[in-house]
Amino acid sequence: MDRWRAKWLLCRAFGSTRPGCSLYWWLTAGLLGTRGAMPAKWCQWFREHVILVRRHGKLAVHDANVWVADPGFTVTAALLCRLLSDGTILLTERWPRLRPQYTPLSLSVVRERFPDMARWMKREGSRLAVLDDLPERGLGPLLQRIGARYLPRVEPKTVDAPADSVDLCLSMGALEHYSPSALSALVAEMARIVRPGGVISHIVDHRDHLWHFDPTKDCFHHLRLPDSFWQRVERNPLLYTNRLLHTDYLGMFRAAGFDVNYAGYGLHVPDTDGITRELLWGRYREASDEDLRAAVSHFVAVRR
């Protein structure tokens, strides 16, 4: 059995039920600490969010109200938002995944990297004082201290936030895990909650999320599988990606009322080398060259 198939079977077994997902995350993110790289990753990609939002969204970010969709297992995104902005912070998750064990690491990584961050955040070094004396045990007190509101178990149509109350909505590697219908509902919520002139900034990983485990596979291996197979894992959060391509997201954002000012994908183009169109399933054989080069996309769009 190849490694891709073995990982697929493992995730299918755990991810078929909510208790199974919780157990998997406890074993991996909790017991084994597999999400220790996330603070550094958030620091790296938060820079792209801020720079591109300023450049292509023309947004003043220092007093922006920020909504982070599905921030993951660490509080790093919330810490970075507080360093950046004096506005409100909203964190929403479909599953309660935040783990307090990563809080000391998140604080350490953010403090270590802030001297460089301060330059592109255009903040004074003294800004780091907002993280002083934060509790490292217990997520609730920390989030309360930095003024971040955390809403777990949020479905796409039920985000508890007023209309036109957010200046910036961002995510990193989250949107591809929503089914097309759920994603459409979430983007509609963004159009409701983000004010006119506000900005959304989303990094979307179109690649097969198991291909890193198996060097014999390419990054679009999941596009070789028929829809009938893929629909079997739609409700499995450990396996499911929506298989939407770069231009699918462009169309969805525009239809919801956003002008897409930036849709870059150049950084990970080498991952798509060697993709054989003839081996892809059905409609993916007819995908544009752009779609089959966009392994990871970054979209910056302004609400009309």
Side-chain angles (χ1 to χ4, degrees):
M1 182 184 298
D2 61 34
R3 294 173 64 183
W4 186 97
R5 183 71 175 175
K7 181 71 174 180
W8 189 89
L9 290 172
L10 177 67
C11 291
R12 185 183 69 169
F14 277 98
S16 59
T17 65
R18 280 188 175 271
C21 291
S22 297
L23 177 60
Y24 182 87
W25 287 325
W26 178 81
L27 289 171
T28 56
L31 188 63
L32 298 178
T34 57
R35 303 295 174 163
M38 289 306 297
K41 187 175 180 180
W42 258 113
C43 289
Q44 174 186 353
W45 292 110
F46 196 76
R47 177 182 185 275
E48 305 306 310
H49 281 300
V50 173
I51 291 175
L52 294 177
V53 163
R54 280 202 183 104
R55 183 178 302 164
H56 298 285
K58 310 298 182 184
L59 183 68
V61 295
H62 289 167
D63 59 354
N65 296 331
V66 185
W67 168 19
V68 182
D70 297 281
F73 293 86
T74 80
V75 297
T76 311
L79 299 176
L80 293 173
C81 288
R82 180 48 69 223
L83 285 172
L84 175 70
S85 173
D86 295 313
T88 62
I89 301 170
L90 173 65
L91 312 173
T92 62
E93 285 266 22
R94 286 177 296 164
W95 305 281
R97 297 185 299 171
L98 282 182
R99 293 290 187 274
Q101 75 183 76
Y102 294 108
T103 299
L105 177 62
S106 295
L107 287 166
S108 174
V109 170
V110 171
R111 286 169 177 150
E112 177 185 347
R113 297 196 176 202
F114 186 71
D116 177 64
M117 292 179 187
R119 292 195 291 272
W120 49 260
M121 282 188 179
K122 299 183 180 178
R123 289 301 227 175
E124 297 296 329
S126 60
R127 180 72 179 173
L128 192 60
V130 302
L131 303 187
D132 286 350
D133 302 318
L134 289 179
E136 296 188 358
R137 298 286 179 256
L139 290 170
L142 182 146
L143 293 171
Q144 185 176 25
R145 283 276 303 277
I146 65 173
R149 184 176 175 226
Y150 176 53
L151 302 178
R153 303 187 190 278
V154 172
E155 295 301 322
K157 295 182 180 180
T158 61
V159 180
D160 182 16
D164 302 340
S165 61
V166 164
D167 303 291
L168 172 62
C169 176
L170 57 88
S171 71
M172 181 180 70
L175 301 191
E176 66 267 21
H177 296 288
Y178 287 78
S179 70
S181 60
L183 180 59
S184 180
L186 179 63
V187 173
E189 276 292 83
M190 293 176 193
R192 180 183 71 84
I193 295 169
V194 175
R195 65 168 176 81
V199 180
I200 60 173
S201 177
H202 298 294
I203 297 171
V204 178
D205 189 346
H206 307 286
R207 299 171 296 183
D208 185 318
H209 281 33
L210 300 183
W211 76 286
H212 293 291
F213 296 96
D214 191 338
T216 68
K217 305 294 188 292
D218 59 54
C219 77
F220 285 154
H221 179 74
H222 63 316
L223 302 186
R224 301 184 183 196
L225 305 171
D227 282 346
S228 58
F229 177 92
W230 205 250
Q231 288 165 358
R232 290 160 53 190
V233 302
E234 181 172 324
R235 296 187 179 275
N236 187 321
L238 304 183
L239 280 175
Y240 182 71
T241 58
N242 54 41
R243 303 204 295 179
L244 297 177
L245 302 178
H246 181 84
T247 53
D248 295 321
Y249 283 88
L250 287 174
M252 187 174 295
F253 291 138
R254 288 166 178 159
F258 292 93
D259 292 323
V260 181
N261 292 351
Y262 177 79
Y265 58 87
L267 187 60
H268 292 278
V269 164
D271 288 345
T272 68
D273 290 345
I275 298 296
T276 305
R277 184 185 296 271
E278 291 73 21
L279 295 180
L280 301 181
W281 181 80
R283 64 183 178 278
Y284 297 112
R285 296 174 190 165
E286 309 302 321
S288 69
D289 290 340
E290 179 181 47
D291 279 338
L292 295 184
R293 296 292 279 170
V296 179
S297 300
H298 192 158
F299 302 101
V300 177
V302 177
R303 189 190 158 201
R304 299 185 202 110

